[in-house]
Amino acid sequence: MPKSKKPAGGRPAKNFEPRYGEKKTSFHDRARGGSAQKPGSKSAAHRGYRAAEDGAPTSAPRTGGPRTGASKTGAPKTRWTASQRAGRDEARSTRAPSYNDRAARSFDERPARSNDERPARREYNSERPARSFGSDRPQRSNDERPARREYGNDRPQRSNDERPARREYNSERPARSFGSDRPQRSNDERPARREYNSERPARSFGSDRPQRSNDERPARREYGNDRPQRSNDERPARREYNSERPARREYGNDRPQRSNDERPARREYNSERPARSFGSDRPQRSNDERPARRDYNTERPARSFGTDRLQRSQGDRPARPYSNDRPQRSNDERPARREYNNDRPARSFGTDRPQRSTDDRPKREYNADRPRRDDRDRRPAASGNRGDWNAPTRTAAHQQHVDVVHDRLQAEAVQATVVDGVTFGSLGLGENIVRTLADLGAATPFAIQAATIPEILAGRDVLARGRTGSGKTIAFGAPLVENVLKSGAGKKREFGRKPKAIILAPTRELALQLDRTIQPIARSVGLFTTQIYGGVPQARQVGALKKGVDIIIGTPGRIEDLINQRKLDLSDVMVAVIDEADHMCELGFLEPVQRILRETADGSQKLLFSATLDREVSSLVDEFLVEPSVHEVAGEDQASSTIEHRVLVIEHRDKAEILDQLVDREGKTLVFARTRAYAEMLAEQFANIGIPAVSLHGDLNQARRTRNLERLTSGRVNVLVATDVAARGIHVDDIDLVIQADAPDEYKTYLHRSGRTGRAGKTGRVVTLITRQRQRRMNEMLERAEIAAPFENVRPGDDTIEELAGRMPTAAEITA
DNA sequence: AAAAAAG
């Protein structure tokens, strides 16, 4: 239920609507008491407001007009993140963002307000309506209030008044934005939770509170000690409040039983999957499944590129070492693919390499020679890298062994040492780009970059796996810019030109972050990028497209949307990147991604990147990639990682308390929860005990998502509770602890989540909480991830917790 | 379960 509501946009809808309407609307709502919902609307509202102005026909202009004027006086400022701003520049012509900027500014002022405004704030609810016409208000009116409410963080500062305020805060809750999920709780839990709060004051002994800012920590721990006593009153409340839990547990319980029933289903889904984890299945499968896989192959011909494929198989590729296999391939070869792992060792430094090095490269010219599929096929494709993907020779015995261990792609290993002495310039990047990379902090190439940059510059399709934080963005971003530049050499940038490159990411945050890195590189050579993702008004994006951009970075939904609206034309796209490629090949993503790739120019270059690149991507590789070269970095196993992994086996009823204690620390902490509701709840829970925390998940409007992430990045809060939306790609400096409040189900998820820490050689720690029942599953997962982590039984207050919350020694210290 | 489009 909750979910269905969400899309309907309990939140978003509300956020946008009140905006144009008079403030009254929102004030009334708030005064009404439930109103907590408004807070969310605020930020969303900004955008909504803008949208209305840009394109909305109706009332918007009126309200917007005057304000706009007013705001114009103020300089355009930071409502948008740096990268967004950049995008704005391009679309500026649309309109000045000043009104919003104003709001942003006032937000910044907030902290300063401490003493004077307090009273005002308390009356907040009742006063609101009346207030709106105050002298200050007009500026602040809609934007600030709500925003402030969202911030659990402000709370702590409010030393004296806080308690009461907070209670109100909670009482509003029910009405709040999460209404969608909450509904179930609404009657039963609220009361319960209030009691919880009501205890609070008693607990902390009001007198302590004010001092809290410094003394808090100890106090909080005491809190932990109180817990046990509370057991009778509170526990019930908490249990109810985890209404989801039961469901989850059932899920866990089902698993084992499922083994027979469900597997089949999954197999159908990904025909390759089965090959994976369950060695025991293997034997049986050999006969049963093969057919299935063949079906898969038979699809091939049907596909749009079937024709190319055929030609290829006829032996266009004499030069290719595996050419002999090719012809046979159509039906029989597939099996070979399974064996791909075994080749590994033999391969990497094979004789193939040398051949490739000099001859192929130059051939690829973007101008005349625009990567046409045929051309590529004809290319003296030396390398035999294709074989990397579909490695032929292997025995079934080996096969099985390898598959059980891991489901990796065969890849060309790059020795880290090879990187020594290599510079970006020597890899083939132009001066401006090299300089910009240096400015970005990338003075010399990382291993993965050294490996892929020449390949990409040569125009080859590339699959690359580099572990989290190893510099993949630059690995594809820099050469992509270079290629686009080359292709347009001599041409002037036309107005309304079609994009030449596209980069797809699974989340908006990641798209944003990619742009943050790639935009400067592009700009340094006079190319433009723009972000195309959902959750924000289209106008700005469409505006940028109209003016003409060279590189698009975004998420599938909005991109497809704009394509369908004919506002985006990918027919000139010559380079397409799929970041987090394996994830993009999962159920809900695959098809949109395929449709988008089909829109790109025929023969466009495709680059697939991920830290966990496995067979799952074959769905894209088979259709879109030609002779991909596959790369990974040698010696990049978890043992060489800078991340320490720990597993805490706990009682379920202790979970909240243990989390409180773990999060009570210095340093940035990222907490992963399985559901949006639980993520939100945890953020609240932490805020309620005085630890500023924000959340990041799909239930938040984009403005809040962006802002909350920024708050962690900037250090305004140290704790972010997120769903898996933050599992991949997101880079925040100095997250030294990742806590998995819910253990992931998949090893890849584990790797990505834990990859939010220990980036670029820094140290980090990952703590996963599980219950006793889950130990076995956890073990299996760690095995697949090839991670060694001790399991420890832990109860609230144990020293282990304190140790884990403590500082992790730096890499240097460890060596010493 | 989560993510990805929405006026």
Side-chain angles (χ1 to χ4, degrees):
Chain A
M1 291 178 32
K3 217 134 292 156
S4 57
K5 260 190 193 173
K6 260 178 261 154
R11 191 162 303 172
K14 255 167 207 159
N15 291 342
F16 284 93
E17 287 166 21
R19 221 310 155 294
Y20 323 132
E22 290 93 344
K23 317 159 183 182
K24 264 195 224 158
T25 324
S26 47
F27 286 156
H28 284 323
D29 288 351
R30 272 175 219 140
R32 233 179 269 147
S35 63
Q37 297 185 339
K38 270 37 200 246
S41 44
K42 191 160 248 175
S43 46
H46 294 321
R47 308 206 172 186
Y49 177 78
R50 182 186 291 273
E53 285 223 333
D54 289 340
T58 53
S59 62
R62 203 154 296 105
T63 20
R67 279 189 208 140
T68 306
S71 55
K72 246 171 200 166
T73 44
K77 262 194 151 183
T78 63
R79 238 220 81 230
W80 298 82
T81 67
S83 46
Q84 281 176 318
R85 227 178 301 134
R88 181 187 57 190
D89 294 341
E90 298 171 10
R92 241 310 155 66
S93 57
T94 349
R95 227 205 102 256
S98 33
Y99 176 78
N100 291 325
D101 297 338
R102 190 43 87 72
R105 220 177 302 134
S106 51
F107 171 73
D108 291 333
E109 291 162 6
R110 263 182 223 151
R113 271 203 234 147
S114 55
N115 291 325
D116 305 325
E117 282 200 79
R118 278 297 136 69
R121 197 184 291 163
R122 268 212 202 144
E123 299 157 12
Y124 179 81
N125 285 326
S126 52
E127 252 197 320
R128 262 298 167 62
R131 237 200 260 155
S132 45
F133 307 100
S135 52
D136 298 329
R137 273 311 147 87
Q139 312 161 358
R140 238 200 269 159
S141 56
N142 286 325
D143 306 306
E144 267 199 325
R145 275 319 146 100
R148 199 178 302 144
R149 266 199 206 156
E150 295 172 13
Y151 293 86
N153 312 321
D154 289 349
R155 284 295 158 65
Q157 310 167 357
R158 278 196 224 151
S159 53
N160 289 326
D161 302 337
E162 224 178 350
R163 280 300 131 145
R166 198 181 289 163
R167 254 185 235 149
E168 293 171 11
Y169 173 85
N170 283 325
S171 59
E172 283 173 10
R173 269 298 166 51
R176 253 208 222 159
S177 40
F178 294 92
S180 53
D181 293 350
R182 293 281 163 76
Q184 320 158 347
R185 258 197 248 161
S186 55
N187 292 327
D188 307 323
E189 275 204 89
R190 274 312 130 118
R193 198 184 285 162
R194 252 179 236 149
E195 290 171 14
Y196 172 79
N197 284 323
S198 60
E199 262 191 24
R200 263 300 175 51
R203 217 194 293 145
S204 48
F205 308 103
S207 54
D208 291 353
R209 271 305 149 82
Q211 311 163 359
R212 236 225 233 158
S213 52
N214 292 326
D215 302 340
E216 230 177 342
R217 290 286 151 72
R220 210 177 302 145
R221 256 173 235 148
E222 291 170 14
Y223 165 98
N225 298 335
D226 290 349
R227 276 289 166 69
Q229 307 168 1
R230 263 196 248 151
S231 53
N232 291 330
D233 303 338
E234 274 204 297
R235 279 295 142 68
R238 194 178 293 156
R239 252 179 242 148
E240 290 173 7
Y241 129 136
N242 278 333
S243 53
E244 325 138 9
R245 272 301 153 55
R248 211 178 299 153
R249 254 182 240 149
E250 288 172 15
Y251 174 68
N253 297 335
D254 289 353
R255 272 294 163 71
Q257 310 167 0
R258 257 201 243 157
S259 54
N260 291 327
D261 304 338
E262 279 202 310
R263 281 294 144 67
R266 197 184 288 163
R267 259 183 227 155
E268 291 171 9
Y269 165 119
N270 273 336
S271 52
E272 329 132 11
R273 269 296 169 60
R276 264 210 220 151
S277 45
F278 310 99
S280 55
D281 290 353
R282 270 304 162 64
Q284 313 166 356
R285 239 199 268 157
S286 55
N287 291 327
D288 303 328
E289 279 203 306
R290 282 289 150 69
R293 193 169 296 156
R294 255 178 233 149
D295 290 345
Y296 176 83
N297 283 327
T298 56
E299 273 182 12
R300 268 291 189 57
R303 260 185 234 160
S304 48
F305 298 95
T307 52
D308 290 2
R309 279 288 155 84
L310 283 181
Q311 301 169 4
R312 251 198 262 149
S313 61
Q314 314 274 328
D316 291 1
R317 307 200 178 135
R320 225 179 291 141
Y322 300 101
S323 54
N324 297 334
D325 293 345
R326 274 299 157 63
Q328 311 163 3
R329 231 231 238 155
S330 49
N331 291 322
D332 306 332
E333 259 198 320
R334 271 306 138 78
R337 193 184 289 161
R338 269 207 195 152
E339 307 157 7
Y340 67 88
N341 277 323
N342 305 323
D343 266 5
R344 261 297 182 49
R347 194 111 34 73
S348 40
F349 310 100
T351 53
D352 300 352
R353 259 311 159 74
Q355 307 170 3
R356 216 202 286 158
S357 55
T358 35
D359 304 338
D360 280 3
R361 294 288 154 66
K363 305 235 160 113
R364 201 25 117 63
E365 282 167 24
Y366 284 93
N367 293 333
D369 206 9
R370 250 301 228 22
R372 223 167 277 135
R373 200 162 267 257
D374 319 65
D375 289 313
R376 275 208 243 175
D377 287 347
R378 253 170 252 132
R379 207 183 333 157
S383 76
N385 266 345
R386 175 78 186 199
D388 289 346
W389 177 255
N390 286 336
T393 60
R394 223 59 218 190
T395 70
H398 266 132
Q399 203 180 85
Q400 191 172 16
H401 170 258
V402 172
D403 277 359
V404 170
V405 172
H406 230 221
D407 219 19
R408 282 182 178 161
L409 295 180
Q410 170 54 44
E412 190 119 4
V414 177
Q415 295 294 351
T417 55
V418 168
V419 177
D420 290 346
V422 175
T423 66
F424 281 115
S426 68
L427 292 174
L429 295 174
E431 259 181 49
N432 286 343
I433 294 180
V434 173
R435 203 177 313 125
T436 310
L437 289 175
D439 291 344
L440 288 173
T444 56
F446 287 165
I448 188 72
Q449 295 161 353
T452 61
I453 289 176
E455 292 292 310
I456 297 173
L457 289 177
R460 299 185 59 96
D461 287 351
V462 170
L463 289 154
R465 171 175 54 239
R467 86 176 157 207
T468 55
S470 65
K472 289 188 290 293
T473 304
I474 288 175
F476 63 74
L480 171 144
V481 169
E482 181 78 36
N483 281 354
V484 171
L485 179 66
K486 269 190 258 163
S487 77
K491 294 181 200 165
K492 68 174 184 184
R493 293 193 305 272
E494 312 164 18
F495 184 90
R497 64 193 178 282
K498 296 185 251 177
K500 296 280 192 302
I502 184 172
I503 301 173
L504 287 177
T507 66
R508 299 164 188 169
E509 283 73 19
L510 185 49
L512 232 139
Q513 179 183 294
L514 291 174
D515 191 40
R516 221 171 282 141
T517 299
I518 293 172
Q519 186 176 82
I521 303 175
R523 283 293 175 90
S524 74
V525 295
L527 297 179
F528 289 80
T529 68
T530 198
Q531 309 149 358
I532 306 285
Y533 57 75
V536 298
Q538 294 182 355
R540 163 191 323 277
Q541 298 172 355
V542 173
L545 290 174
K546 273 188 189 146
K547 292 186 71 175
V549 300
D550 305 286
I551 300 168
I552 281 179
I553 302 172
T555 51
R558 175 64 64 87
I559 289 175
E560 227 191 339
D561 191 8
L562 294 186
I563 290 175
N564 292 336
Q565 292 180 43
R566 306 272 175 126
K567 288 171 177 167
L568 173 57
D569 183 346
L570 298 184
S571 61
D572 270 4
V573 167
M574 50 175 254
V575 191
V577 181
I578 312 293
D579 198 9
E580 304 299 345
D582 57 318
H583 187 42
M584 296 290 259
C585 285
E586 282 170 17
L587 197 47
F589 275 123
L590 179 58
E591 302 210 339
V593 170
Q594 287 174 328
R595 286 192 294 263
I596 290 169
L597 287 181
R598 286 179 192 129
E599 295 289 324
T600 64
D602 197 23
S604 59
Q605 183 179 16
K606 312 291 192 308
L607 313 174
L608 270 48
F609 278 69
S610 180
T612 53
L613 201 61
D614 59 15
R615 296 271 313 284
E616 202 161 359
V617 296
S618 63
S619 38
L620 286 183
V621 173
D622 289 348
E623 175 174 348
F624 298 103
L625 280 72
V626 180
E627 294 177 49
S629 67
V630 187
H631 297 273
E632 71 171 2
V633 176
E636 258 198 355
D637 55 0
Q638 291 300 323
S640 68
S641 164
T642 50
I643 303 175
E644 180 194 25
H645 300 268
R646 306 281 285 266
V647 177
L648 303 187
V649 182
I650 64 169
E651 292 291 336
H652 185 261
R653 64 171 180 275
D654 294 333
K655 188 166 175 179
E657 195 174 350
I658 290 176
L659 283 171
D660 283 349
Q661 292 169 6
L662 279 172
V663 147
D664 181 9
R665 64 191 296 272
E666 321 225 333
K668 289 180 186 170
T669 307
L670 178 53
V671 182
F672 281 105
R674 200 180 61 118
T675 68
R676 303 158 172 183
Y678 187 44
E680 189 62 24
M681 197 202 79
L682 282 179
E684 251 168 52
Q685 174 187 316
F686 298 149
N688 282 342
I689 60 168
I691 302 175
V694 289
S695 60
L696 180 61
H697 54 77
D699 256 353
L700 302 177
N701 63 50
Q702 192 52 39
R704 285 179 76 193
R705 281 170 63 162
T706 306
R707 192 172 50 210
N708 285 355
L709 181 57
E710 193 277 335
R711 298 191 98 217
L712 179 72
T713 309
S714 67
R716 292 181 64 188
V717 303
N718 271 342
V719 180
L720 176 69
V721 189
T723 59
D724 281 333
V725 68
R728 284 173 177 257
I730 302 304
H731 177 95
V732 174
D733 275 337
D734 303 326
I735 290 179
D736 56 355
L737 177 61
V738 167
I739 299 172
Q740 308 200 69
D742 296 315
D745 286 323
E746 216 196 341
Y747 82 95
K748 288 200 280 179
T749 308
Y750 186 102
L751 288 174
H752 284 282
R753 283 178 171 188
S754 55
R756 296 317 99 206
T757 185
R759 294 181 73 80
K762 290 184 181 163
T763 56
R765 183 179 278 144
V766 179
V767 175
T768 307
L769 304 187
I770 61 169
T771 53
R772 220 162 0 104
Q773 306 86 289
R774 183 143 183 152
Q775 287 180 98
R776 215 189 67 181
R777 255 173 86 191
M778 187 68 191
N779 246 322
E780 289 168 358
M781 191 184 61
L782 288 172
E783 224 166 87
R784 296 216 56 187
E786 294 179 354
I787 285 174
F791 285 45
E792 301 157 81
N793 289 300
V794 169
R795 308 231 44 194
D798 283 357
D799 291 345
T800 310
I801 298 178
E802 199 156 346
E803 179 216 326
L804 292 176
R807 194 177 70 92
M808 170 97 179
T810 65
E813 287 167 347
I814 291 176
T815 345

